[in-house]
Amino acid sequence: MISQTNISYQYNNQTFEGVLVSPNNVTNKLPALLMTPNWLGITKEAIDLATQQAEKGYIVFIVDLYGKTVRPENSQQASEAMTPLKENRQDLRQRMNKALDILLKEINIDKQKIAAFGFCFGGCCALELARSGANIKAAISFHGNLDTPNTRDAQNIKSSILVLNGANDPMIPDDQITDFFNEMKSAPAVDWQFINYGGAVHGFTDVTANDPEVKQYNAKVSKRAFNAMNTLLDELFK
């Protein structure tokens, strides 16, 4: 069985509320994952994805990037909440690191086995956490934005990087991919992988996505991408 607990915390005089998803009756320390959902924030679908990982033996903390009182209900509200953070990556990184600090306070986690993963905007957030120099084992992006204001920050990365991308994603142009490749190559010590899934567009893990040429759920690609993530985590943690 899986339990779900809301956790409130303070950052910059604002209240945030993330969700901890964990196996019940934990008797030994478990690896932990910091999960950043897509631009809609903490939704039922986000909790379902976290539960999927908790069932594999992880403790998962879903990040609240916007604050407890900001829960977007549509794309316009999500864009209004997300845009200031995309434009201020320092604030974004600080919010991610604060959420990581909250996760690290959990008594049942193995602090040597921490990774971050995210979806769409959340994938960007996982990568920015790694670029901040956070002490995590992996940062994994599902159909996430790859751009960053200062590519020299790749030198700060201590984790493995895994990018899972839809080859036909109109929101991730080829020049963004090229820039990301160059960024990773500029930091030769970084262990990184980039997987392009043919025929997949944006949001291929999102069961609610239904715009075939823009944002579309793809069960086969979603399964392959999660398998890639879990293969990496198995390698790093076990």
Side-chain angles (χ1 to χ4, degrees):
M1 296 292 293
I2 303 298
S3 63
Q4 175 184 324
T5 307
N6 292 358
I7 298 179
S8 294
Y9 57 97
Q10 297 292 313
Y11 165 73
N12 200 21
N13 298 317
Q14 183 180 357
T15 300
F16 291 75
E17 188 174 83
V19 178
L20 190 76
V21 183
S22 172
N24 286 338
N25 303 318
V26 176
T27 58
N28 58 321
K29 294 188 181 298
L30 298 178
L33 304 175
L34 190 70
M35 176 186 142
T36 318
N38 65 24
W39 67 346
L40 288 171
I42 299 175
T43 60
K44 176 186 179 300
E45 289 75 26
I47 293 171
D48 287 346
L49 289 171
T51 300
Q52 176 179 299
Q53 288 305 120
E55 289 172 344
K56 296 180 182 298
Y58 294 100
I59 293 174
V60 185
F61 186 51
I62 309 175
V63 180
D64 174 13
L65 278 176
Y66 304 142
K68 185 176 179 178
T69 62
V70 182
R71 293 293 186 263
E73 296 181 357
N74 52 52
S75 295
Q76 180 178 342
Q77 291 177 8
S79 179
E80 290 171 354
M82 176 191 71
T83 299
L85 290 177
K86 285 200 73 176
E87 294 176 349
N88 186 345
R89 298 298 176 92
Q90 187 61 30
D91 186 26
L92 171 58
R93 292 180 183 186
Q94 289 173 350
R95 293 183 187 209
M96 289 294 293
N97 274 283
K98 179 63 178 181
L100 178 60
D101 289 343
I102 297 302
L103 174 60
L104 288 169
K105 292 178 181 178
E106 291 299 312
I107 62 174
N108 290 323
I109 70 168
D110 183 339
K111 294 183 180 180
Q112 304 305 312
K113 297 180 178 180
I114 308 290
F117 71 114
F119 304 87
C120 304
F121 174 54
C124 165
C125 296
L127 294 177
E128 288 296 338
L129 178 65
R131 291 173 176 127
S132 77
N135 189 23
I136 56 178
K137 294 297 185 183
I140 300 148
S141 169
F142 291 79
H143 42 81
N145 300 101
L146 306 173
D147 63 299
T148 193
N150 187 353
T151 58
R152 289 193 300 267
D153 289 344
Q155 305 293 331
N156 300 328
I157 295 174
K158 301 173 183 175
S159 65
S160 295
I161 299 290
L162 174 61
V163 171
L164 305 160
N165 187 66
N168 294 353
D169 189 338
M171 300 183 189
I172 312 296
D174 289 345
D175 59 350
Q176 192 176 123
I177 294 174
T178 298
D179 289 346
F180 176 76
F181 281 10
N182 289 334
E183 176 193 1
M184 292 296 102
K185 290 176 183 178
S186 75
V190 175
D191 169 39
W192 67 283
Q193 302 175 70
F194 182 99
I195 302 176
N196 242 352
Y197 292 104
V201 293
H202 197 65
F204 56 77
T205 63
D206 184 353
V207 295
T208 69
N210 189 24
D211 186 351
E213 295 186 4
V214 180
K215 185 178 181 181
Q216 178 70 52
Y217 177 60
N218 186 316
K220 178 175 69 175
V221 170
S222 179
K223 181 178 179 180
R224 288 177 176 175
F226 276 105
N227 284 343
M229 177 177 82
N230 285 308
T231 295
L232 175 62
L233 295 178
D234 285 347
E235 175 188 318
L236 294 172
F237 292 165
K238 297 178 182 179

